[in-house]
């Protein structure tokens, strides 16, 4: 009861200072970097800081909460939504919506705002960076120089890399990220091919309905699609063998899209030539075999981490919540979800 | 005298097997990777393998040598050329000609073949790869994952990178390499500015005649020019301070174009934000301060190292020598040198 009173008092104090209230269940990354800025505009009810069970915490604030900022990861279930009868808007910093019970939101006509394509350019930049790194051995060369081997091994010939121009690059999932990757790699003289659920009529690149067929025609596969039941372990041993001994795989999608065990085996056995990976099946755990290999580049799931994009996300969060609270049209509402 | 006889005999043997003779003073990299292929077409007189002093070695072969393959580094002086009265062609695997006495070649009407722009795409690819790496901390992230820190430090927030799109990128030296860098970075949404000896009328990018003025207008400087008396230490402390605390420098030109001591000082003091370096002032020695920094990416002067380009170089060497020996027009002769 003491906790209960404390929560109610805190809430009361903030209502007095008239900042609009936003519920947060778990802190999203934008909080770590722009928490101060956000807190000047809104009073955040930080559920994760409360010692109360979530159900009890939500019950206390059930009447006042009109807005919710999702972490983009933890589920916003129908149970949570039903505990918040005044909820009118959910803003999620994710591009996807898998974590939100959309049926309940539809029924209640709750507005939803996502990050949309805000991250596409950052992810595409990293995909291209990983590809150049694997092809031209940049991280390996950096280790070589840092360990003092350049100066101490005058007769050693650093291994040759590969040229990007003229390579067949297969993009798996030609959404906003895939199109941004394609645009960048065309400037390097790469030829783009793609696989996606459906052929896109307006796209000039050759389409392969079968990902194994795509792999057989490619020097590089770049995984840019989302994780669904259909894409889980879509990149299996058959696809990797079709990609072949000179083939390189880049993953900026989600770890489980690749059968990681098979990929590691293929890399160790030389059945494929290299990999650039921002995502893994069991993050933050990375298969120990990969750490020993010079033909892979390992990145800790940070494809969307740039200062500029996180600032843009902060603006998107603030702009949409401010529009909501002042009863103006939202800046970027999700339509027909 | 024993050596002398041995040389003469070896020479005699090869003349019998009728392969055309090509003199090599020091082995170029193409020799390490395609020596077998080259040796099927030509008999190479390998001066560096002979115990004789160079002058004596050349005197022995003076009448027979019509063709010379340069290493691209060691000087082809007027003294060497004068010892080879039958010399009709020099092929150098370099883009530049600083190491060849052109006056003597002109006087003797010796044909010259260079690599021309063969390397431009490889160098541009590496320049962009180094830039993405510095901006998005790819090598640093790879070290972080390999050292097991991602899994062992769950609360650590890997530092944010920077977005490429919208950045002002100043290219110093807008030749073939610089133009290839510009083409690639435009696809990332960067804005290109440039400095070169003269404004190029057909180029749409803003021109800055003063490199310090260019730096003051840029987030990134990419050094793509050659090393001359004018460009030595052109990137001095004043230019680096104009680039500023958020500025990044990429060097795929030559080490001495930057005042390395000042650059290291600026990096250590945080006067510039980062650097991606393929070249250094005293290669293969790299300033020890750089090895300690996470905001630099270090590459062992390997901008032109791709399998495809070295194969193309091999074809260029073979094609031009074969044309020369069969008295056909050279494939890629240097005109008006």
């Amino acid at each position: 009861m003491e906790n209960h009173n404390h929560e109610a008092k805190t809430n009361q104090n903030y209502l007095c200072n008239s900042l609009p209230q936003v519920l947060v269940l778990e802190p999203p990354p934008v909080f770590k970097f722009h928490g101060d800025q956000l807190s000047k505009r809104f009073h955040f009810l930080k559920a994760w800081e409360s010692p109360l069970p979530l159900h009890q915490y939500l019950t206390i604030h059930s009447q006042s909460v009109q807005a919710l900022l999702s972490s983009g990861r933890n589920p916003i279930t129908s149970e949570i939504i039903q505990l918040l009868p005044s909820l009118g808007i959910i803003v999620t910093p994710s591009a996807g919506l898998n974590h939100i019970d959309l049926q309940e939101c539809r029924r209640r006509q709750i507005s939803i705002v996502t990050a949309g394509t805000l991250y596409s350019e950052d992810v595409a930049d990293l995909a291209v960076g990983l590809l150049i790194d694997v092809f031209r051995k940049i991280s390996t060369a950096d280790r070589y120089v840092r360990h003092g081997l350049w100066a101490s091994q005058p007769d050693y010939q650093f291994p040759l890399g590969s040229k990007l121009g003229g390579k067949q690059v297969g993009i798996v999932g030609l959404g906003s990220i895939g199109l941004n990757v394609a645009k960048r790699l065309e400037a390097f003289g790469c030829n783009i091919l793609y696989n996606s659920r459906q052929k896109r009529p307006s796209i000039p690149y050759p389409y392969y309905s079968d990902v194994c067929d795509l792999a057989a025609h490619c020097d590089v596969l770049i995984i840019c699609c989302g994780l669904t039941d259909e894409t889980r372990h879509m990149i299996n041993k058959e696809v990797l063998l079709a990609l072949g001994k000179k083939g390189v795989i880049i993953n900026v999608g989600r770890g489980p899209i690749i059968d990681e065990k098979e990929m590691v085996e293929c890399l160790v056995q030389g059945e494929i030539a290299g990999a650039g990976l921002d995502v893994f099946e069991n993050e933050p755990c990375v298969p120990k075999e990969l750490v020993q290999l010079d033909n892979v580049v390992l990145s800790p799931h940070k494809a969307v981490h740039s200062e500029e994009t996180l600032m843009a996300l902060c603006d998107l969060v603030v702009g949409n919540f401010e529009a909501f609270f002042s009863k103006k049209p939202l800046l970027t509402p999700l339509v027909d979800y």
Side-chain angles (χ1 to χ4, degrees), chain A:
Chain A
M1 276 306 291
E2 208 176 306
N3 275 329
H4 192 127
N5 280 337
H6 172 71
E7 291 290 335
K9 269 190 203 160
T10 310
N11 191 9
Q12 190 64 36
N13 286 342
Y14 275 92
L15 285 175
C16 290
N17 80 12
S18 81
L19 287 177
Q21 216 176 41
V22 175
L23 174 66
V24 186
L25 305 181
E26 292 282 342
V30 68
F31 245 63
K32 297 185 185 169
F33 293 98
H34 296 292
D36 288 353
Q37 189 178 339
L38 290 167
S39 296
K40 283 181 193 157
R41 311 288 195 111
F42 310 102
H43 167 54
F44 289 99
L45 297 174
K46 299 176 180 177
W48 79 93
E49 289 187 349
S50 169
L52 297 178
L54 181 59
H55 180 275
Q56 203 176 337
Y57 184 88
L58 295 181
T59 304
I60 296 168
H61 297 286
S62 69
Q63 294 309 312
S64 63
V65 169
Q66 294 179 284
L68 189 155
L69 174 62
S70 159
S71 72
R73 295 186 178 215
N74 65 313
I76 313 293
T77 62
S78 59
E79 290 72 27
I80 290 173
I81 297 169
Q82 282 162 17
L83 282 170
L84 304 167
S86 305
L87 188 64
I89 183 171
I90 298 174
V91 175
T92 176
S94 58
L97 287 166
N98 298 356
H99 59 302
I100 300 176
D101 189 314
L102 293 182
Q103 201 178 349
E104 186 65 17
C105 289
R106 253 181 306 237
R107 197 183 67 75
R108 288 267 304 275
Q109 297 189 292
I110 293 169
S111 297
I112 296 182
V113 171
T114 72
T117 59
L118 193 67
Y119 305 129
S120 301
E121 291 182 274
D122 272 2
V123 181
D125 289 353
L126 186 69
V128 175
L130 290 172
L131 178 59
I132 304 178
D133 194 322
V134 174
F135 264 48
R136 300 298 302 277
K137 305 177 191 296
I138 294 177
S139 291
T140 306
D142 181 78
R143 277 200 297 280
Y144 172 77
V145 175
R146 280 175 198 264
H147 292 166
L149 299 175
W150 189 21
S152 68
Q153 300 182 341
D155 292 332
Y156 176 74
Q157 178 68 46
F158 194 85
L160 291 175
S162 297
K163 183 172 174 152
L164 271 78
K167 290 293 184 297
Q168 303 286 106
V169 178
I171 296 180
V172 180
L174 201 67
S176 172
I177 294 169
L179 284 170
N180 270 295
V181 171
K183 177 184 159 196
R184 284 155 177 71
L185 287 179
E186 279 195 297
F188 289 81
C190 296
N191 304 310
I192 308 296
L193 305 71
Y194 77 106
N195 162 264
S196 61
R197 272 167 297 189
Q198 293 185 321
K199 183 168 168 29
R200 298 185 54 172
S202 62
I203 300 291
Y205 312 130
Y207 171 71
Y208 291 79
S209 60
D210 179 68
V211 74
C212 200
D213 190 23
L214 176 71
H217 287 84
C218 284
D219 303 298
V220 180
L221 274 190
I222 304 187
I223 313 302
C224 301
C225 59
L227 178 63
T228 64
D229 288 343
E230 289 76 42
T231 64
R232 185 178 298 272
H233 280 205
M234 175 174 60
I235 308 299
N236 54 24
K237 185 166 188 178
E238 190 192 3
V239 174
L240 293 167
L241 293 180
L243 184 60
K245 289 181 193 296
K246 292 195 166 182
V248 165
I249 194 156
I250 304 294
N251 193 0
V252 290
R254 284 290 179 272
I257 297 168
I258 301 180
D259 185 332
E260 194 172 78
K261 195 162 160 281
E262 293 292 356
M263 179 187 66
V264 169
E265 181 79 8
C266 284
L267 284 164
V268 169
Q269 300 292 330
E271 296 292 345
I272 63 173
L277 307 167
D278 186 48
V279 288
F280 303 86
E281 274 210 72
N282 302 300
E283 296 167 8
C285 296
V286 173
K288 63 181 187 308
E289 295 91 339
L290 294 183
V291 173
Q292 306 300 323
L293 296 175
D294 265 350
N295 56 339
V296 299
V297 182
L298 307 170
S299 173
H301 198 152
K302 59 175 192 69
V304 301
H305 275 187
S306 84
E307 287 177 22
E308 293 82 352
T309 299
L310 218 62
M311 179 60 86
L313 177 66
C314 185
D315 292 343
L316 178 135
V317 169
V318 169
N320 279 286
F321 278 141
E322 288 194 336
F324 171 80
F325 286 115
S326 56
K327 300 190 180 4
K328 290 180 182 159
L330 297 184
L331 303 185
T332 56
L334 198 66
V335 288
D336 297 333
Y337 64 83

